[in-house]
Amino acid sequence: MSLGKYVTNLGVIGAVAGAYSTAKRTKTMPPDWRRYVVWAVWAGSLVLAVSAVAFQDRDEEFSA
């Protein structure tokens, strides 16, 4: 398993870059449950992007 395929994937890069906008958005929010929901949605998008890269090899084997 190579780390390079995660670092160069545009989905993962976009999800990581989304942390900046999420931090910017939650900075002005009141400290209540909604702030945690926004961060949970961001974490979910990061997990989906990383898992898509992880299963990419398996998908290529299945289609062959």
Side-chain angles (χ1 to χ4, degrees):
M1 186 156 82
S2 171
L3 185 63
K5 68 180 181 179
Y6 294 98
V7 174
T8 59
N9 186 286
L10 291 178
V12 175
I13 292 170
V16 170
Y20 174 74
S21 65
T22 302
K24 192 172 163 184
R25 182 182 319 139
T26 58
K27 189 176 185 180
T28 59
M29 290 176 71
D32 59 354
W33 61 272
R34 285 171 254 164
R35 177 182 289 194
Y36 300 115
V37 170
V38 171
W39 278 108
V41 169
W42 171 80
S45 69
L46 181 64
V47 167
L48 285 174
V50 169
S51 64
V53 175
F55 284 111
Q56 188 172 14
D57 293 336
R58 191 178 296 177
D59 291 340
E60 290 172 359
E61 290 175 3
F62 181 73
S63 65

